[in-house]
Amino acid sequence: MSVKIYNTLTRKKETFQPLETGHIKLYVCGITSYDYCHIGHARSALAFDMIVRYFRYLDYKVTYIRNFTDIDDKIIKRAAEQNTTTEELANRFIDEFYVDMDKLGVDRPTMEPKATEHIQEMIDLIGELIDKDMAYPANGDVYYRVGSFAGYGKLSGRKLEDMQAGARIQINENKDDPMDFVLWKASKPGEPSWESPWGDGRPGWHIECSAMSRKYLGDTFDIHGGGQDLIFPHHENELAQSEAANNKPYVNMWIHHGFVTIRDEKMSKSLGNFLTIRDILAHYHPEVLRFFIFSTQYRNPLDFSEAAMQNAMTGLDRLYECLASVDKLSGDGSPDTKQIASAKDITKLTSMEERFQKAMNNDFNTALAQGILFESAKAINKIIRQLDKQPSQKDVDLLKDGATTIVKLASVMGILQEKAHDYLAAKKTAMLNQIEISEEEILQLIKERNQARDEKNWARSDAIRDQLLSHNIELKDSSAGTGWTIKKD
RNA sequence: GGCGGCGUAGCCAAGCGGCUAAGGCACUGGUCUGCAAAACCAUGAUUCAGCGGUUCAAAUCCGCUCGCCGCCUCCA
């Protein structure tokens, strides 16, 4: 089985084959750090976290580089507004980024280079481009000569003429051609700057990724990723710079994920319709956000809403409830009892991993993968419900193996990673804090109600249940006793 | 204006030429229960925005129309 990935460059799903057998080299554009991260950033981090986890699950070695842009116009502007340095501001929000990532359980990439720590590599790269006449200095700036690179536009599928026709490009008299883009910017007084052969200045945005990816992954590497909004101009320009400098293909496979939208509009800082990661985590368990994000295939738009988050939470709870009920199975089964699981349910469970891989191999179809988890949980619930007091060894093994496999597969998406009991208990505690009744009171009332039930005093029993219901507490009677949960709206 | 994507049950969402169109949420009926809840079982699209075409066969390929979204400027 091989992994198929949609490649932006060819606009097709292709069978993925790393350049070096068993070792995947991946570069992803990280954040520009000048503010808190929003859910769109979370989707990016989580999408590639999932992709890397899946490759590692398949036993690939993955070298994963994700950069920080810690110098650019917006950082300079924001630092000036806040009366601080670009360095302090950028580092502060890198720290905040890690706070969010750690809460979300995002694995750290292999390396996270910062732009400001690779100025020399960028100057070297720009120098090579000038030597090849692919770039030219002008009044302290350096520009890339777009017209000299034959492949310009191949990633974003644009023709140079079309771009010029509808272009909204600022007039800049330093440029030979309006489409040329900046590699090095002369600094204005007071701005952070670095020495260069062309005078004091700072790098343009696109050159940093070309320089850092080359340093850590080489001239040509397997996968380059980012959001769909980076295709043009950022990735188009990176490709132009790197291929012109190295005379080699830059990247084999380009992966671009879709946006998070709100009311079907792109969430972005410029539109102001964004929610930060910490806004969400204040109200939802991190796994709920992960579950929500993976409920749609990574390339499709994902519309954020409270209803969608509630939906995700209900689904996640259901899976945890299933795992918890398997955990409750005590001891070993009996070798003498007959197995009651149906052939169909046995197949559902034993084929789970194979079906999961098939889904994931098809361009990381996490939506389908979640469906497979639900089908498996359903089969488990069904078997448990039919179980005798002395369950058969075969059934117990099937259930425990099924639950173990669910947890293992879910780990690719970073969900179901808590002990089911702990997750459900923590949830209960969190919910208790929102209502005006203590657990002791609840348990006392349940005790009273069970006494009433023993006396068949149904009026009293129902009154207590209604009383608890007025506090949003729902009761669950079972042979094992009476449990309770917080009612969903 | 140029380029790209999407339109599948009440909502979310798989499916990418051929098994009864996954799965989740919601709804309804049943089993269970003193009654409930949870769980389980069952039910829901003769049909995939519309219209044509290709094919023995199309939600899936092609064309046109309608609607929505994104990129073309910093943006995950």
Side-chain angles (χ1 to χ4, degrees), chain A residues 71-322:
Chain A
I71 182 69
D72 92 323
D73 290 347
K74 278 188 295 198
I75 295 173
I76 292 171
K77 186 167 169 252
R78 184 66 60 91
E81 284 166 11
Q82 298 190 2
N83 245 322
T84 184
T85 62
T86 53
E87 194 180 359
E88 188 281 328
L89 181 87
N91 285 334
R92 190 167 85 227
F93 284 107
I94 286 172
D95 290 343
E96 297 292 359
F97 172 77
Y98 281 131
V99 169
D100 291 337
M101 291 302 112
D102 289 350
K103 276 191 189 149
L104 286 173
V106 174
D107 291 339
R108 296 281 171 104
T110 315
M111 287 223 244
E112 298 176 87
K114 291 179 188 172
T116 56
E117 291 170 359
H118 296 80
I119 303 292
Q120 190 55 50
E121 286 84 347
M122 297 182 218
I123 289 173
D124 293 345
L125 184 54
I126 294 169
E128 291 169 41
L129 289 169
I130 293 175
D131 289 346
K132 293 186 171 183
D133 198 33
M134 296 300 294
Y136 54 95
N139 284 328
D141 294 344
V142 180
Y143 295 95
Y144 184 90
R145 210 183 285 287
V146 164
S148 300
F149 181 66
Y152 197 75
K154 68 180 175 184
L155 178 65
S156 55
R158 293 152 210 264
K159 296 194 192 88
L160 214 43
E161 311 87 75
D162 295 341
M163 285 189 261
Q164 281 163 331
R168 290 182 267 172
I169 298 165
Q170 289 177 344
I171 307 290
N172 181 331
E173 52 199 23
N174 288 335
K175 291 183 183 179
D176 287 358
D177 184 291
M179 289 307 294
D180 291 349
F181 59 88
V182 71
L183 299 173
W184 186 262
K185 278 182 166 175
S187 52
K188 299 188 187 99
E191 284 182 354
S193 69
W194 289 262
E195 285 178 20
S196 85
W198 318 286
D200 287 356
R202 59 192 161 89
W205 177 34
H206 314 301
I207 198 72
E208 62 177 79
C209 293
S210 285
M212 292 189 284
S213 64
R214 182 166 79 170
K215 178 172 182 181
Y216 296 109
L217 299 177
D219 291 349
T220 304
F221 54 94
D222 298 299
I223 302 173
H224 191 128
Q228 281 171 355
D229 49 357
L230 297 183
I231 296 172
F232 190 88
H234 185 52
H235 289 164
E236 191 69 64
N237 291 353
E238 261 187 75
L239 188 158
Q241 292 161 352
S242 292
E243 297 201 346
N246 303 328
N247 280 112
K248 283 183 200 160
Y250 181 38
V251 168
N252 279 348
M253 188 91 57
W254 290 84
I255 297 182
H256 292 99
H257 66 261
F259 302 124
V260 177
T261 61
I262 287 191
R263 276 183 276 277
D264 292 323
E265 271 198 331
K266 180 183 170 183
M267 180 184 295
S268 74
K269 289 190 176 161
S270 35
L271 289 174
N273 61 344
F274 65 91
L275 284 158
T276 63
I277 295 173
R278 52 196 65 189
D279 287 338
I280 302 308
L281 296 186
H283 298 102
Y284 295 97
H285 190 282
E287 286 196 4
V288 173
L289 183 58
R290 294 188 85 116
F291 188 93
F292 164 69
I293 281 175
F294 294 128
S295 65
T296 298
Q297 203 265 355
Y298 74 89
R299 281 191 291 124
N300 295 141
L302 176 62
D303 201 49
F304 178 88
S305 67
E306 283 297 321
M309 287 297 286
Q310 287 292 334
N311 194 331
M313 188 168 75
T314 308
L316 186 67
D317 289 353
R318 190 169 137 84
L319 292 175
Y320 265 121
E321 296 274 7
C322 168

Side-chain angles (χ1 to χ4, degrees), chain A residues 343-355 398 402:
Chain A
K344 201 175 156 190
D345 287 332
I346 293 172
T347 306
K348 271 259 189 291
L349 292 176
T350 52
S351 70
M352 178 187 352
E353 185 155 8
E354 191 189 324
R355 290 184 294 131
L398 180 70

Side-chain angles (χ1 to χ4, degrees), chain A residues 332-439:
Chain A
D332 295 327
S334 153
D336 303 324
T337 315
K338 193 165 169 273
Q339 181 168 30
I340 51 135
S342 70
K344 201 175 156 190
D345 287 332
I346 293 172
T347 306
K348 271 259 189 291
L349 292 176
T350 52
S351 70
M352 178 187 352
E353 185 155 8
E354 191 189 324
R355 290 184 294 131
F356 174 85
Q357 286 188 14
K358 201 175 160 198
M360 293 297 285
N361 285 346
N362 186 6
D363 204 19
F364 312 105
N365 193 339
T366 52
L368 221 202
Q370 285 188 350
I372 290 161
L373 261 27
F374 275 110
E375 284 182 7
S376 307
K378 191 170 187 170
I380 287 175
N381 284 335
K382 190 175 167 186
I383 296 165
I384 286 181
R385 176 170 160 81
Q386 295 167 333
L387 234 43
D388 292 326
K389 287 215 164 121
Q390 271 294 330
S392 76
Q393 183 67 50
K394 280 183 175 174
D395 282 329
V396 171
D397 289 347
L398 180 70
L399 292 167
K400 299 218 164 178
D401 288 350
T404 304
T405 306
I406 287 178
V407 171
K408 174 178 151 194
L409 301 182
S411 75
V412 171
M413 289 180 269
I415 55 173
L416 302 178
Q417 297 308 291
E418 289 194 32
K419 291 259 168 279
H421 175 80
D422 294 347
Y423 172 88
L424 296 169
K427 191 180 170 73
K428 209 173 247 191
T429 309
M431 289 191 291
L432 263 179
N433 291 332
Q434 290 173 19
I435 53 174
E436 289 145 2
I437 187 166
S438 71
E439 185 160 17

Side-chain angles (χ1 to χ4, degrees), chain A residues 43-56:
Chain A
R43 188 179 196 189
S44 177
L46 290 173
F48 290 105
D49 187 57
M50 172 274 292
I51 287 171
V52 169
R53 285 174 187 229
Y54 185 60
F55 279 136
R56 289 186 175 143

